Amino acid sequence: MFSSTAQAAPRSLMPVQGSTVAGYVDSLYIFLLIASFIACVLVIGGFIYFAIRYRRRGENDKTAYITHNNTLEFAWSFIPFVIFMVAFGWGWWVYDKMRSFPENALEVHVTGYMWAWDFMYKNGKRTTNEFTVPVNTPVKLIMTSRDVIHSFFVPAFRVKQDVVPGRYSALWFEATKKGRFQVFCTEYCGTGHSAMLATVNVVDLEEYEDWLQVDPYRGLSLAQIGQQIFEGRCLVCHSPGQDRKVGPGLGGLFGSQVELDDGTRVLGDENYIRESILYPNEKITAGYPAGVMPTFLGQLDETEVLGLIEYIKSLE
Ligand SMILES: [Cu+2]
């Protein structure tokens, strides 16, 4: 349900345990679950039992005069206190493991925005909605947001961290299983929130190093580069056909007369497409709200902008 590993994962209540902390988190979670269940049975069961056993049986039935019971009162305070302290100490121990960053961690930079995730490696390699890390290696993600608060969650790794505009937050994990694992945004961030998905691809160290060297655009035509970017970043909001999504469909845009919200018309040429990508609020298509599309200024280089223009030209 949560992850799509290379091997078929056995069906279970919890996602695959794919990191060094996953087992610790699950143990604490199961302890809390069982303790809560026992407390629930005692409280609700006791409530039902007393309600029946001591119900009022007639007009003259008077409530017995009860003062107190030291032993009982101590027990019902002290036993929960011990359980809470165990949960606190245990939780602290697990949290400390999750928040103590190993010094030798491989650092990857992450940027969240409506509605995709960008990943950037130290050698300049950039990817969108998918990133690769080596197995059995500590990885530190240094994360920020371009617009609103998002939250980066990898269920299989049991790690989650808010991603906040204007500052960096971080999380770390050490993947213990190879495979492909789902990333979710878990902070509601607008229309495309549920489609704000990414994949962590965990591979051998050698495979990771090869992957890191590969130029993702090598051997691709401009339009193919554009298609790759479109599918990663634009498809959440724009259909490649005529359908209306968050934004207008881009099929047939090139060469057409685009009606704007101020009633004027503009030719859908290269300059219009470029401006719409880099300065999306300059010209708003009629029937769509302003201020929704984020700018891609500084996010795409010239080749990528040209690629997108070529790809959009080819859409019908
Ligand atoms: Cu989000």
Side-chain angles (χ1 to χ4, degrees), residues 213-233:
Q213 298 312 318
V214 173
D215 173 1
Y217 300 145
R218 191 167 57 192
L220 296 184
S221 69
L222 266 183
Q224 285 168 326
I225 293 173
Q227 182 174 5
Q228 207 178 87
I229 298 164
F230 185 86
E231 283 165 3
R233 306 197 189 204

Side-chain angles (χ1 to χ4, degrees), residues 8-76:
R11 276 190 171 277
S12 75
L13 265 181
M14 306 288 278
V16 178
Q17 294 182 340
S19 77
T20 49
V21 297
Y24 301 132
V25 174
D26 287 2
S27 306
L28 176 56
Y29 181 71
I30 287 162
F31 168 77
L32 290 172
L33 207 61
I34 292 172
S36 305
F37 181 74
I38 293 171
C40 178
V41 169
L42 288 177
V43 171
I44 304 295
F47 166 74
I48 293 169
Y49 173 78
F50 282 103
I52 296 168
R53 175 79 179 76
Y54 298 106
R55 69 187 185 279
R56 197 177 188 199
R57 288 160 206 270
E59 276 302 305
N60 299 322
D61 205 359
K62 292 274 186 290
T63 304
Y65 181 67
I66 301 163
T67 54
H68 64 282
N69 183 324
N70 279 337
T71 316
L72 196 59
E73 285 167 17
F74 178 77
W76 80 42

Side-chain angles (χ1 to χ4, degrees), residues 8-316:
R11 276 190 171 277
S12 75
L13 265 181
M14 306 288 278
V16 178
Q17 294 182 340
S19 77
T20 49
V21 297
Y24 301 132
V25 174
D26 287 2
S27 306
L28 176 56
Y29 181 71
I30 287 162
F31 168 77
L32 290 172
L33 207 61
I34 292 172
S36 305
F37 181 74
I38 293 171
C40 178
V41 169
L42 288 177
V43 171
I44 304 295
F47 166 74
I48 293 169
Y49 173 78
F50 282 103
I52 296 168
R53 175 79 179 76
Y54 298 106
R55 69 187 185 279
R56 197 177 188 199
R57 288 160 206 270
E59 276 302 305
N60 299 322
D61 205 359
K62 292 274 186 290
T63 304
Y65 181 67
I66 301 163
T67 54
H68 64 282
N69 183 324
N70 279 337
T71 316
L72 196 59
E73 285 167 17
F74 178 77
W76 80 42
S77 304
F78 189 72
I79 294 169
F81 171 73
V82 170
I83 295 170
F84 285 130
M85 287 315 286
V86 167
F88 170 71
W90 194 346
W92 185 329
W93 185 78
V94 176
Y95 184 72
D96 183 62
K97 283 197 177 303
M98 296 168 115
R99 297 308 300 176
S100 303
F101 292 86
E103 275 181 10
N104 59 346
L106 167 79
E107 291 181 350
V108 181
H109 296 267
V110 181
T111 307
Y113 54 95
M114 294 188 270
W115 289 281
W117 298 99
D118 280 354
F119 301 91
M120 191 167 198
Y121 289 77
K122 299 288 181 195
N123 74 345
K125 175 145 182 157
R126 290 192 288 168
T127 61
T128 300
N129 290 342
E130 172 157 5
F131 72 118
T132 298
V133 296
V135 70
N136 298 326
T137 307
V139 176
K140 180 178 180 182
L141 303 183
I142 301 164
M143 310 188 290
T144 191
S145 166
R146 269 206 263 146
D147 36 49
V148 298
I149 299 177
H150 302 278
S151 184
F152 190 91
F153 179 35
V154 191
F157 298 168
R158 310 290 192 275
V159 289
K160 175 155 76 170
Q161 174 65 46
D162 272 14
V163 175
V164 184
R167 59 166 293 181
Y168 296 116
S169 55
L171 67 73
W172 83 276
F173 59 81
E174 182 174 334
T176 53
K177 286 191 173 71
K178 288 193 280 179
R180 297 169 61 77
F181 301 97
Q182 185 68 56
V183 178
F184 290 109
C185 175
T186 44
E187 188 77 62
Y188 180 68
C189 56
T191 314
H193 167 66
S194 62
M196 194 169 161
L197 305 169
T199 306
V200 197
N201 194 18
V202 181
V203 298
D204 285 324
L205 187 60
E206 303 83 73
E207 202 182 320
Y208 162 75
E209 272 161 3
D210 289 346
W211 174 87
L212 199 58
Q213 298 312 318
V214 173
D215 173 1
Y217 300 145
R218 191 167 57 192
L220 296 184
S221 69
L222 266 183
Q224 285 168 326
I225 293 173
Q227 182 174 5
Q228 207 178 87
I229 298 164
F230 185 86
E231 283 165 3
R233 306 197 189 204
C234 316
L235 195 56
V236 176
C237 301
H238 293 284
S239 146
Q242 309 278 351
D243 305 338
R244 182 193 174 104
K245 290 170 91 173
V246 176
L250 302 184
L253 166 68
F254 188 76
S256 72
Q257 289 288 325
V258 182
E259 210 180 316
L260 303 180
D261 64 352
D262 61 3
T264 58
R265 283 169 173 269
V266 63
L267 176 65
D269 62 0
E270 284 95 342
N271 275 314
Y272 170 72
I273 297 173
R274 179 191 173 82
E275 184 185 59
S276 299
I277 296 169
L278 303 181
Y279 305 95
N281 287 311
E282 287 296 312
K283 294 188 175 68
I284 304 294
T285 308
Y288 291 89
V292 173
M293 178 167 161
T295 171
F296 287 85
L297 188 67
Q299 308 296 322
L300 300 169
D301 62 28
E302 280 305 319
T303 313
E304 292 171 319
V305 174
L306 278 175
L308 273 176
I309 293 171
E310 283 308 303
Y311 175 66
I312 290 167
K313 269 184 180 180
S314 74
L315 298 176
E316 288 169 358

